[in-house]
Amino acid sequence: MQINRRRFTLPFNIIVLSIIITLVFIAPSTFLQDFNPEQQRTVGLLVLAIYLWTISPLPSGAASILLLAMMLILNLVDSVEGAMTGFLSSALYFILILTILSRVLIKAGVDKVVASQLLKLNKRGPKAIVVALPLMIAMLPVLMPSAFARLKMLLPFVDRLNDAFGFSDRSIFKKYALYVIGLMNQNGTMIVYTGGGFPVLAAQLLSDYNVADLGWLQWFLIIAPPLWAALLLVNVFTWNYLNHSYPSEILKEPESQTSQTEEYFETALERKRFWFVIATFGIMIVTWAITDNNIVPTLLPPMLLLVVYSLPKVGLLTNADIRAFDWENFLLLGASFSIGILLEENGTASVIAEQMLQFVPEDSGMILKIILIALITFAFRMIFIVPSSAIIVIFPVIISYANIADIPALSIAFLVIMIVGGTNIFPIHSPTSYFAFQTGVLSKKDHYVIATFSTCIFITMAILAASSYWMLW
């Protein structure tokens, strides 16, 4: 799904560009005087990237190509190959392959089977679904590695259930369901590093910066407890907030409801195809969980599975499925990786981290440093629209800071992951929350109250986990 960025007026963009050009002349002799000339140009490239990927009228794909060209123009890399290093990351191709594989789940009817389980709860009333829906969303990333696919899968069934219960189009039930499949769905994608593009990139960064090379199960055990605790608190708040804000929309249990049944498959062939996909996906997930990714690379099982699904006798994938991939986002992520690598290799990230240390009081304790890092990470995150591009740029700076401040890198790395992945204050901060907001079911007030509370809880939980639980790993 594409997020349509707000296109600002021409005068506004001229003003922004004028400020950037002015800073080019002023910054080297002021707040960038501790940076060498190459590092100063790198900071300038970073500022330009933030502008191009947020408020610029230039499409993000073309903007990404421009940034690669600017690396050469500013003499920050020696060759075209040097500018393209970000596209060598296995994380990019992991996202590509998993996104394509998620289309197979839809073709095989997995979406109908999973979503129809909600319809079976119809006779138990809306409150049963209010409990079951977030539980389902919390576990679905294990099977379906696409937050937007999960939203598109469940949205029609939410509409049907809302109508079946006789609720209004903007009922408490539907508002809560939109929050779950929109905002919570995006936050919950971090539960496994194969749960979506963002955790895939985060896991790759952990490896690239020598923080940790975690297996599938290790990642789950590290992040699941604080993540689920945060989601539980936000869910309870959201339900109570909606009930308090809309007292006339009290959920009433229907007097009688018949269980709605779904006809999953029309033919025996469709049924066989469904179980084939479930079995092969299950084998891939088990392989991730029980094998050492240094021996069996994480990317290998989905690569082989993609080939299997493309075999003529299977016929679950075609060239049309590959062409349907969001290649504009591919360019953005690749360029983001190149900038992140550049920040680390020429020392710009380290110098930025040293500048950040100046704001830390002398003899400050570990917890204060962690709180400061959390606030800085949040401030960085608010600049970017997409969490994936945000973490690629933020990660090297924060890890450099952690190394200088003598804080366990793994704790800080997951603090960054949880805050970046859990910040969705503006609807455009994630595709699923943006889509849910665009339905008009949640008002602006609803979204901003819930999203702000959610972000605060994620920041708080990340600080607590980084100060205690993650220190044990």
Side-chain angles (χ1 to χ4, degrees):
M1 181 224 175
Q2 283 294 316
I3 294 180
N4 296 318
R5 296 175 297 160
R6 180 181 176 185
R7 303 302 184 184
F8 288 85
T9 61
L10 179 61
F12 178 85
N13 280 282
I14 291 175
I15 292 172
V16 173
L17 285 173
S18 299
I19 293 173
I20 293 175
I21 293 172
T22 302
L23 288 175
V24 168
F25 295 99
I26 297 176
S29 59
T30 55
F31 51 85
L32 292 183
Q33 58 184 350
D34 292 332
F35 295 73
N36 65 39
E38 181 182 6
Q39 292 168 346
Q40 290 174 353
R41 296 196 300 274
T42 304
V43 172
L45 179 71
L46 177 60
V47 173
L48 178 62
I50 293 171
Y51 165 73
L52 291 175
W53 285 333
T54 52
I55 62 176
S56 164
L58 195 65
S60 59
S64 301
I65 293 175
L66 173 60
L67 291 170
L68 296 174
M70 290 301 298
M71 291 185 186
L72 294 165
I73 294 172
L74 295 174
N75 198 29
L76 295 172
V77 292
D78 297 328
S79 62
V80 174
E81 289 77 9
M84 303 294 287
T85 53
F87 292 89
L88 299 178
S89 170
S90 62
L92 281 179
Y93 302 94
F94 199 108
I95 293 171
L96 166 64
I97 293 173
L98 284 184
T99 302
I100 295 171
L101 289 179
S102 68
R103 296 173 66 87
V104 175
L105 294 172
I106 306 299
K107 286 185 177 182
V110 175
D111 59 331
K112 295 178 182 177
V113 175
V114 173
S116 63
Q117 299 307 306
L118 291 175
L119 294 179
K120 289 184 177 181
L121 294 173
N122 190 16
K123 61 182 180 180
R124 298 187 181 182
K127 290 184 179 179
I129 297 175
V130 165
V131 174
L133 186 59
L135 293 177
M136 182 180 290
I137 283 292
M139 294 308 301
L140 266 181
V142 176
L143 177 64
M144 185 170 286
S146 169
F148 193 66
R150 296 191 293 269
L151 180 144
K152 293 291 286 183
M153 174 185 73
L154 291 171
L155 185 58
F157 291 89
V158 167
D159 290 335
R160 288 174 59 183
L161 287 167
N162 190 69
D163 293 340
F165 291 131
F167 296 142
S168 68
D169 192 50
R170 295 187 180 183
S171 65
I172 291 177
F173 173 81
K174 194 170 183 180
K175 287 177 183 289
Y176 180 77
L178 262 292
Y179 148 74
V180 171
I181 65 176
L183 196 145
M184 178 189 170
N185 180 20
Q186 181 65 43
N187 293 342
T189 199
M190 295 182 284
I191 192 66
V192 287
Y193 69 65
T194 55
F198 173 72
V200 167
L201 291 174
Q204 181 68 43
L205 291 169
L206 287 173
S207 177
D208 289 347
Y209 292 97
N210 300 315
V211 175
D213 197 3
L214 300 175
W216 190 91
L217 189 58
Q218 288 176 305
W219 176 286
F220 176 83
L221 293 174
I222 289 172
I223 202 166
L227 177 63
W228 279 345
L231 291 176
L232 175 62
L233 291 173
V234 179
N235 283 347
V236 172
F237 168 82
T238 301
W239 180 248
N240 284 283
Y241 163 75
L242 292 174
N243 276 280
H244 178 75
S245 300
Y246 304 95
S248 62
E249 289 277 4
I250 300 298
L251 288 190
K252 297 179 180 179
E253 298 293 341
E255 295 180 2
S256 64
Q257 283 286 342
T258 58
S259 178
Q260 300 186 38
T261 59
E262 286 289 306
E263 188 64 36
Y264 303 148
F265 313 111
E266 296 180 359
T267 65
L269 178 60
E270 290 181 352
R271 185 176 293 104
K272 289 180 180 179
R273 187 169 62 177
F274 167 80
W275 287 113
F276 173 73
V277 169
I278 289 295
T280 49
F281 252 82
I283 292 171
M284 179 178 70
I285 293 169
V286 170
T287 302
W288 282 333
I290 66 175
T291 59
D292 185 344
N293 54 10
N294 291 318
I295 299 174
V296 181
T298 306
L299 187 56
L300 181 58
M303 288 173 67
L304 296 177
L305 195 56
L306 185 146
V307 175
V308 170
Y309 290 154
S310 301
L311 293 174
K313 289 188 176 181
V314 179
L316 285 167
L317 281 177
T318 65
N319 283 333
D321 296 303
I322 297 175
R323 286 194 293 269
F325 180 73
D326 180 8
W327 292 102
E328 184 181 59
N329 194 45
F330 184 87
L331 288 171
L332 185 150
L333 294 176
S336 297
F337 260 119
S338 292
I339 292 175
I341 292 169
L342 184 65
L343 285 168
E344 178 66 19
E345 288 186 345
N346 66 15
T348 304
S350 296
V351 179
I352 294 175
E354 290 172 358
Q355 296 294 315
M356 289 162 52
L357 275 175
Q358 296 178 5
F359 296 97
V360 181
E362 293 185 7
D363 302 323
S364 59
M366 180 76 70
I367 293 179
L368 180 58
K369 292 178 181 177
I370 290 174
I371 293 173
L372 177 64
I373 292 176
L375 295 176
I376 292 173
T377 300
F378 170 72
F380 263 97
R381 170 66 183 97
M382 290 297 291
I383 297 173
F384 293 87
I385 291 177
V386 182
S388 297
S389 58
I391 195 168
I392 293 171
V393 176
I394 294 168
F395 200 85
V397 175
I398 299 300
I399 291 302
S400 294
Y401 179 97
N403 292 332
I404 295 172
D406 196 28
I407 305 173
L410 184 67
S411 292
I412 293 305
F414 273 97
L415 177 134
V416 172
I417 292 168
M418 195 160 172
I419 291 177
V420 172
T423 297
N424 294 293
I425 291 181
F426 297 124
I428 59 172
H429 274 155
S430 79
T432 57
S433 62
Y434 178 79
F435 188 89
F437 181 75
Q438 288 294 95
T439 63
V441 175
L442 286 168
S443 69
K444 289 184 179 180
K445 178 186 175 184
D446 294 337
H447 173 84
Y448 285 113
V449 168
I450 295 170
T452 300
F453 181 84
S454 175
T455 298
C456 292
I457 289 296
F458 267 78
I459 292 174
T460 303
M461 196 60 65
I463 292 171
L464 293 174
S467 305
S468 53
Y469 179 62
W470 291 335
M471 291 281 186
L472 305 176
W473 291 85

